[in-house]
Amino acid sequence: MHRLMRFLGILAAIAVADISSASEILAEERLKAGFISNFVQFTRWPGNPSSIIVCSLESGHEADPLTYLKDVAQHAPALIVRRLKTLGELHVCQVLFLDSANAAKLPAVLAAGAKHPLLIITEFDGGAPLGAALSLVATGGGRFGFDVNLTAIRAVGLDINSRLLQLARRVY
Amino acid sequence: MNALCRERRWVVLGCLALASAIAGAPAVAEDALRLEDLLEMKVSSAARRPQSPAEAPSMVSVISAAEIRVFGWRNVGEALASLNGVHLSYDRSYSYMGVRGFGRPGDFTSRVLLMIDGHPINDSIYDQASVGSEFPLDISLVDRIEYVPGAGSVMYGGNAILAVVNVVTRTGAGTGHRLHLNIAEGGGVDAVGTAGWRDSSGNDGLLSIARERSRGRDLYFESYQSGAANAWSRGLDHEANDRLFAQFRRGGFAAALILHERLKGVPGGPFGIDLGHPGSQVRDRRLQGNLRFEHQIDPMSSLNFSAHVMDVRYDGHWFYSGTDQPDGMEARSLGGEVSLTSRAWAGHTWLAGLSLRRDGTRRQFSSSLNSNTPRSAVGLFVQDDMALGERVTLSAGLRFDQVHGNGSYRHLSPRFALIYRPALRTVIKAIAGSAFRPPNAYETDYAFSGTNIANPDLRSERSRTAELGFSHDFDAASGMGGSLYRTRLEDLITIERNAGSNLQQHHNVGRVEAKGLELYGRGQLGTAIWRSSIAWQSVRHESGADLANAPRHLAKMLIDQPLNAGLRLGLEAYYTGARTTDSGQVNRTGAKVGGHSVVHLALGGILSRELEWQLKISNLFDRNFGNVVGTEFSNNFPGVQQSPMPLVIQDGRTLSARLRWTF
């Protein structure tokens, strides 16, 4: 018993001494960035702007998928990331990525972006049925999928490629 | 396609192969990523090791937090009951999980390995897998539940005979601050407060406190109408749960603390106790600490370490002719595991590990018993997933276990799985494996003057399972699949009455064969998502007798329908087919019990930005049905004269309401 405890104790000490940085977060955030990049590629804004401003609300989390957009983005249009302090700045954005920490702000975002060609992507399940354009959804086994609210997308004057609809878990 | 996913992977606990953790280099994706590829990718996390269900050497099912919310499931057992081939029985003290028809009444689900974030929670006296309201965590903390049917001893050693269930908890960042309030008919009030956060350096914390109280219902037991016994059991179905969960994660490190205390009244008079005595009750307590660490040795290899310490206690009070007969146990365990995974050889994913467990205290006590039989267990395991061409993978694993306590048990548990992907969205698996379960302390040591005697000579149960499974996805939202299986279990351990002495004792009672076919489908109809399953199953003893509580059919339909104005409807319909009662002798088929259906309906919506509500009607059509229970409820119990009660009635229509405040 004592030998077992000593063995486990040594392992625990090694473990604690060697805590790595949050490297496991990278995978998930990059994956989400990949989805966001693809969503932009498959969306058409009025006037076909050459650059797209992708916004998020400040949440205090370093684990922000938008940080990795430049790693995964395709060539055009150019993606510009902005972090908003208030919803009043929303009018400058073409895309808003609403992270889980700001989930409660969805109704306010919907109200603020109602007449604006804004693609609202939520990081959390359940955003699309509430009026967000797209929701990332954890589909189990560490995978992600997404839901699409086609009505909401068309209501703000956007259009999306049917490829998105084919691959979506659910379309509203 | 793996560019994003080149980091480490983990073992999906459930997936025996889980352990097939795959190492890889952190990388920057230079190329644009196709959406189709993203959908196939998995996220790695240090605390868990995911493996795609398609790659696992088992037919894995996963229940997501989203489903748990939509259907308003109150505990892990209710969620598991939605899965193909699973049926739940509740004797109003504890819940028992039946897998593929195998649901021995009163077995405390000892043949299922239950884990939280990969750490076992089965205790070392009863091997109990506490799946119902006795599960140590509040359901709101569950991120997903992984269910892996079949022989799991190749990765996990004893207990994993029928299935492995891994409950994965939420992260602090994914939870935020929440308050839940749930009220239900029968005087049920639950409150849960949870605080979750992640700071800029990646420290992720979660703290949750939950309190649950229920007065319960007065229950009418028709079986007792004969003789002088009361037919009503009044005020005895009460339940109280207090839970605390604290968790910290950073990088590859995770630590968790679990505290749970449950007090439950005992209606129905099991073991011949006074039917209406309010003093009869069971109290279960758990204190558990879990530690996990994953260390990336090089881009292709990682070392995983996990450890747990567990203190589980049970105190029962049973009143006979107005006199308390206390009965209890203490189980303290310390366990750990080290495993190494490597992809250093092209086409191979290796996993090798060492598992140690010391059950330093296994004490059972009553007025006529005071036994303590500490136990040690060592397991060595190795598995290789070999790519045989682009479409075929062979997973081969072997584990050696040695368990030494009041008996010595040695077992080799091999498993082979051939996984064939004829097309991108189609998987066919042929799986063969064996598993074992050494007798637990309750089975070898329990004795009670005049009723039960110990049996230190019990042998382990051993099983062999062969399975052919397939799954095909039509698109992201729809698919179908199925499984054909056969499990042969040797030396089944069950409690029986000894001829002559009339005393109860656990015996090895020979071979049991479980076989069946499971089919499922899922899809989207309009905006509704549905999933449906049907299972044909048979569990027979070598004498030809049907085992008790083995429904011949299980059929399930779940529909998740979003409505206008943010409303969301969850509908569940379950059919449980004919099964038999427990005759008390495994070679004698019990009385047949007809099938029954039950429907649950949940409707949820949003009151304001932060406030969500849900109303649920369980057993919508108020169906009157019972669950098959053990012989402790029947007149088989020596020295007690009462009418047999092979079924314990379940709740009729019950309305509950839930509020969830996120801030």
Side-chain angles (χ1 to χ4, degrees):
Chain A
M1 184 63 183
H2 289 291
R3 271 181 295 179
L4 170 67
M5 289 190 67
R6 197 165 60 190
F7 175 58
L8 294 174
I10 291 168
L11 284 171
I14 295 169
V16 174
D18 195 8
I19 295 174
S20 60
S21 63
S23 57
E24 97 286 5
I25 300 168
L26 289 182
E28 180 170 335
E29 306 312 317
R30 276 217 184 98
L31 185 62
K32 289 174 178 173
F35 273 106
I36 295 167
S37 166
N38 271 274
F39 294 157
V40 172
Q41 291 300 316
F42 285 118
T43 304
R44 204 173 66 203
W45 276 263
N48 287 331
S50 57
S51 64
I52 296 291
I53 300 177
V54 182
C55 303
S56 65
L57 302 183
E58 287 201 333
S59 66
H61 292 166
E62 202 173 62
D64 181 354
L66 301 193
T67 310
Y68 304 101
L69 259 187
K70 61 181 187 309
D71 294 340
V72 299
Q74 313 195 22
H75 296 300
L79 300 184
I80 300 158
V81 173
R82 282 189 63 164
R83 291 184 175 83
L84 306 183
K85 287 194 168 56
T86 70
L87 287 179
E89 305 166 60
L90 205 54
H91 62 277
V92 304
C93 314
Q94 272 89 32
V95 177
L96 178 80
F97 178 69
L98 194 64
D99 63 0
S100 302
N102 282 300
K105 292 181 179 153
L106 179 59
V109 168
L110 289 170
K115 290 172 185 152
H116 175 64
L118 178 69
L119 189 77
I120 300 170
I121 303 168
T122 69
E123 189 182 23
F124 47 90
D125 188 9
L130 298 178
L134 295 143
S135 302
L136 287 174
V137 180
T139 53
R143 291 186 187 195
F144 281 83
F146 60 93
D147 293 343
V148 178
N149 187 333
L150 192 56
T151 314
I153 289 170
R154 290 187 172 151
V156 293
L158 298 175
D159 200 6
I160 59 167
N161 189 299
S162 62
R163 193 89 195 101
L164 273 187
L165 301 180
Q166 286 165 4
L167 293 172
R169 183 187 71 152
R170 176 150 59 181
V171 178
Y172 296 98
Chain B
M1 130 172 184
N2 262 337
L4 273 192
C5 227
R6 260 180 248 158
E7 299 75 352
R8 306 155 288 168
R9 302 204 201 151
W10 17 288
V11 181
V12 174
L13 299 179
C15 307
L16 314 179
L18 302 221
S20 318
I22 295 172
V28 175
E30 302 295 344
D31 304 320
L33 290 151
R34 293 172 57 238
L35 200 52
E36 290 85 344
D37 294 338
L38 291 170
L39 291 168
E40 286 290 312
M41 284 180 183
K42 294 139 286 182
V43 169
S44 62
S45 135
R48 305 161 270 156
R49 300 167 173 255
Q51 183 181 43
S52 136
E55 295 166 11
S58 172
M59 301 305 287
V60 181
S61 300
V62 179
I63 297 171
S64 68
E67 276 192 302
I68 291 170
R69 245 167 85 186
V70 167
F71 296 110
W73 292 321
R74 292 162 304 173
N75 58 56
V76 167
E78 289 187 353
L80 288 166
S82 74
L83 295 175
N84 204 356
V86 175
H87 74 285
L88 214 62
S89 306
Y90 179 46
D91 67 8
R92 309 212 77 98
S93 293
Y94 298 102
S95 292
Y96 302 83
M97 177 182 171
V99 175
R100 292 180 161 172
F102 200 107
R104 297 293 294 152
D107 75 347
F108 299 107
T109 321
S110 54
R111 297 171 185 90
V112 173
L113 176 64
L114 181 61
M115 302 191 290
I116 294 175
D117 293 324
H119 301 279
I121 67 163
N122 298 63
D123 68 74
S124 60
I125 303 269
Y126 304 101
D127 285 338
Q128 184 174 9
S130 307
V131 292
S133 61
E134 61 270 29
F135 186 73
L137 302 185
D138 185 79
I139 190 84
S140 64
L141 298 172
V142 175
D143 184 63
R144 66 175 191 276
I145 303 168
E146 298 161 348
Y147 167 69
V148 189
S153 289
V154 65
M155 281 293 113
Y156 298 105
N159 291 115
I161 279 205
L162 299 174
V164 176
V165 174
N166 183 34
V167 178
V168 178
T169 58
R170 289 172 172 276
T171 61
T175 305
H177 300 332
R178 296 175 175 193
L179 279 177
H180 290 225
L181 184 66
N182 194 69
I183 54 172
E185 272 185 284
V189 181
D190 324 346
V192 187
T194 305
W197 65 92
R198 183 186 286 173
D199 68 18
S200 54
S201 17
N203 298 311
D204 186 284
L206 185 70
L207 177 66
S208 176
I209 294 172
R211 184 180 164 90
E212 182 184 327
R213 295 290 181 273
S214 171
R215 194 178 65 242
R217 296 184 173 215
D218 294 340
L219 299 161
Y220 188 70
F221 291 104
E222 292 185 5
S223 322
Y224 285 114
Q225 277 183 305
S226 60
N230 286 330
W232 279 93
S233 202
R234 295 183 196 277
L236 301 181
D237 196 32
H238 58 87
E239 176 166 2
N241 280 286
D242 291 294
R243 297 181 172 96
L244 181 143
F245 179 64
Q247 180 177 261
F248 173 78
R249 300 182 189 185
R250 179 186 167 129
F253 175 78
L257 175 71
I258 299 166
L259 273 169
H260 179 212
E261 177 164 347
R262 175 180 189 257
L263 181 68
K264 179 71 184 71
V266 184
F271 304 106
I273 57 171
D274 301 344
L275 185 60
H277 201 295
S280 291
Q281 56 190 27
V282 290
R283 184 190 297 272
D284 293 275
R285 281 177 278 202
R286 172 183 299 266
L287 166 63
Q288 181 162 353
N290 296 333
L291 202 63
R292 176 176 298 282
F293 177 68
E294 180 178 301
H295 173 63
Q296 193 77 36
I297 299 168
D298 62 40
M300 303 303 272
S301 309
S302 67
L303 183 69
N304 303 286
F305 161 76
S306 71
H308 69 269
V309 56
M310 190 193 303
D311 183 327
V312 180
R313 293 166 191 226
Y314 149 75
D315 289 296
H317 291 274
W318 309 89
F319 279 79
Y320 293 86
S321 306
T323 306
D324 186 11
Q325 296 279 4
D327 183 47
M329 70 85 157
E330 287 175 21
R332 282 193 282 276
S333 308
L334 176 67
E337 191 174 292
V338 186
S339 66
L340 179 71
T341 59
S342 176
R343 297 183 76 192
W345 293 350
H348 291 261
T349 302
W350 277 95
L351 166 80
L354 167 70
S355 165
L356 300 169
R357 177 166 168 150
R358 171 71 182 169
D359 300 320
T361 303
R362 293 201 305 167
R363 194 164 91 82
Q364 298 178 81
F365 52 88
S366 69
S367 57
S368 57
L369 173 70
N370 187 2
S371 76
N372 185 12
T373 52
R375 181 176 66 170
S376 302
V378 179
L380 280 166
F381 53 96
V382 61
Q383 178 167 298
D384 184 19
D385 292 347
M386 291 162 265
L388 310 175
E390 281 193 2
R391 296 172 184 274
V392 181
T393 304
L394 174 67
S395 172
L398 183 69
R399 175 165 168 141
F400 170 74
D401 281 277
Q402 177 165 315
V403 181
H404 187 74
N406 51 353
S408 273
Y409 311 91
R410 286 194 182 121
H411 296 281
L412 267 183
S413 308
R415 184 186 55 200
F416 299 94
L418 199 62
I419 300 160
Y420 173 49
R421 301 192 73 154
L424 184 63
R425 293 179 179 275
T426 307
V427 184
I428 297 170
K429 299 179 184 180
I431 307 158
S434 60
F436 75 98
R437 182 181 73 89
N440 59 44
Y442 170 59
E443 290 160 340
T444 53
D445 301 351
Y446 188 76
F448 198 93
S449 176
T451 61
N452 290 61
I453 52 175
N455 186 356
D457 300 324
L458 286 172
R459 297 180 299 278
S460 294
E461 294 180 345
R462 299 167 322 280
S463 75
R464 285 182 182 184
T465 299
E467 183 171 1
L468 184 65
F470 82 99
S471 68
H472 175 74
D473 293 343
F474 300 110
D475 54 44
S478 60
M480 60 175 292
S483 185
L484 187 66
Y485 64 86
R486 188 188 68 189
T487 295
R488 279 199 177 137
L489 192 150
E490 303 284 346
D491 280 336
L492 174 75
I493 298 171
T494 198
I495 195 163
E496 288 192 335
R497 189 164 38 165
N498 288 339
S501 73
N502 219 24
L503 296 173
Q504 297 206 118
Q505 188 177 34
H506 284 94
H507 296 152
N508 291 107
V509 293
R511 189 175 70 238
V512 169
E513 182 171 279
K515 56 189 175 184
L517 173 68
E518 296 170 343
L519 296 174
Y520 75 85
R522 61 187 179 87
Q524 184 170 354
L525 201 64
T527 55
I529 283 183
W530 60 270
R531 68 175 161 96
S532 173
S533 68
I534 184 161
W536 292 265
Q537 43 197 30
S538 148
V539 188
R540 284 227 163 98
H541 184 247
E542 63 183 36
S543 62
D546 287 332
L547 251 64
N549 195 28
R552 296 305 298 261
H553 305 100
L554 291 173
K556 310 181 180 194
M557 170 62 94
L558 290 94
I559 301 171
D560 166 12
Q561 172 70 69
L563 304 168
N564 290 335
L567 295 176
R568 202 150 170 183
L569 190 73
L571 181 78
E572 304 162 76
Y574 299 111
Y575 171 74
T576 305
R579 62 251 188 249
T580 57
T581 62
D582 191 352
S583 70
Q585 300 290 330
V586 76
N587 56 9
R588 192 154 54 87
T589 302
K592 187 174 173 183
V593 182
H596 67 268
S597 309
V598 61
V599 174
H600 310 304
L601 186 71
L603 180 67
I606 291 175
L607 282 179
S608 74
R609 300 193 291 186
E610 292 111 3
L611 210 53
E612 280 179 45
W613 59 270
Q614 185 175 56
L615 286 174
K616 179 161 184 177
I617 307 172
S618 304
N619 195 355
L620 180 65
F621 300 115
D622 203 19
R623 297 301 298 268
N624 185 14
F625 68 99
N627 284 166
V628 173
V629 291
T631 52
E632 66 270 23
F633 282 89
S634 76
N635 59 356
N636 255 8
F637 205 78
V640 175
Q641 297 301 313
Q642 63 184 34
S643 305
M645 189 170 66
L647 299 176
V648 162
I649 55 167
Q650 302 298 304
D651 286 339
R653 182 164 44 230
T654 305
L655 181 67
S656 59
R658 177 175 300 176
L659 277 179
R660 194 172 90 134
W661 184 33
T662 311
F663 57 99

